[in-house]
Amino acid sequence: MKIYKLGEEILRKKCEPVAEVNDHLREIFNEMFETMLDANGVGLAAPQVGIAERFFVVISDDDVRRVFVNPQIIATSNEMCDYEEGCLSIPGFNENIRRPEKVTVQALDENGKPFTLEADGLLARIIQHENDHLNGIVYIDRGDPNFAADVTEKMKKRVERAAKKEAEKARKAKSIAAKLAAKEAKKSK
């Protein structure tokens, strides 16, 4: 699966609720876990893979695979903590972000079964980070505005360079295909 990067529109969209948890969606969850682990991540939200629906997957420091469908954070602790966050959609940048130490979340699991989870530490942080993605929020929105502006500009340039590279690659492939077709046409005459 492609991981969308900051600057791509889907990351700023508020996601729609999931209507039904089914086999197709379970396949997507599995692909997301694979993509997340290949990228050395601990969480991945649907918009990060181009899906504007309310779900995310996580694997925290307890190594348990968790799926959250239509999550709602229903409580947060008054105690706050700072932690250096990063994001698969904003690779190469980290910033200390202050968030509640504990959260209580209600969601559906990978089988559509409702559950409530009280989380603290790293798991609480991942849940908040991924839940933000479902609302079009990225972690840099919660930190220093100057850092966010700098990162946004740098990511914009990265996305533009990547798009140019892809366009050049496509142009070359088209040119090669045209040359091969011309060669084949000559042979058949």
Coordinates of all heavy atoms in Angstrom, one line a residue, residues 80-84 96-99 125:
M80 N -0.7 15.3 31.8 CA -0.2 15.4 30.4 C 1.3 14.9 30.4 O 1.9 14.8 31.4 CB -0.2 16.9 30.0 CG -1.6 17.5 30.0 SD -2.8 16.9 28.8 CE -2.2 17.8 27.4
C81 N 1.7 14.5 29.2 CA 3.1 14.1 29.1 C 3.6 14.5 27.7 O 2.9 14.6 26.7 CB 3.3 12.6 29.3 SG 2.6 11.6 28.1
D82 N 4.9 14.8 27.6 CA 5.6 15.1 26.3 C 6.2 13.8 25.8 O 6.7 13.0 26.6 CB 6.7 16.2 26.5 CG 6.1 17.5 26.9 OD1 5.0 17.8 26.5 OD2 6.8 18.3 27.7
Y83 N 6.2 13.7 24.5 CA 6.9 12.6 23.8 C 7.3 13.0 22.4 O 6.5 13.7 21.8 CB 5.9 11.4 23.8 CG 6.5 10.1 23.4 CD1 7.1 9.3 24.3 CD2 6.4 9.7 22.0 CE1 7.7 8.0 23.9 CE2 7.0 8.5 21.6 CZ 7.6 7.7 22.6 OH 8.2 6.5 22.2
E84 N 8.4 12.5 22.0 CA 8.8 12.9 20.6 C 8.1 12.0 19.6 O 8.3 10.8 19.6 CB 10.3 12.7 20.5 CG 10.9 13.2 19.2 CD 12.4 13.1 19.1 OE1 12.9 12.1 18.7 OE2 13.0 14.2 19.3
N96 N 8.6 17.0 19.9 CA 7.9 16.8 21.2 C 6.5 17.3 21.2 O 6.3 18.5 20.9 CB 8.7 17.4 22.4 CG 9.7 16.5 23.0 OD1 9.6 15.3 22.8 ND2 10.7 17.0 23.6
I97 N 5.6 16.4 21.5 CA 4.2 16.8 21.5 C 3.6 16.5 22.8 O 3.8 15.4 23.4 CB 3.4 16.0 20.4 CG1 4.0 16.3 19.0 CG2 1.9 16.4 20.4 CD1 3.9 17.8 18.5
R98 N 2.8 17.4 23.4 CA 2.2 17.2 24.7 C 0.8 16.7 24.5 O 0.0 17.3 23.7 CB 2.1 18.6 25.4 CG 1.5 18.5 26.8 CD 1.6 19.8 27.6 NE 2.8 20.0 28.3 CZ 3.1 19.4 29.4 NH1 2.4 18.4 29.9 NH2 4.2 19.7 30.0
R99 N 0.5 15.5 25.1 CA -0.9 14.9 25.0 C -1.2 14.4 26.4 O -0.4 14.1 27.2 CB -0.8 13.8 24.0 CG -0.6 14.1 22.6 CD -0.8 12.9 21.7 NE -0.5 13.1 20.3 CZ -1.3 13.5 19.3 NH1 -2.6 13.7 19.6 NH2 -0.9 13.6 18.1
R125 N -0.8 7.3 23.5 CA -0.2 8.3 22.5 C -0.6 7.9 21.1 O -1.0 8.7 20.3 CB 1.3 8.4 22.7 CG 1.9 9.2 21.6 CD 2.9 10.2 22.0 NE 2.8 10.7 23.4 CZ 2.7 12.0 23.6 NH1 2.6 12.9 22.7 NH2 2.8 12.5 24.9

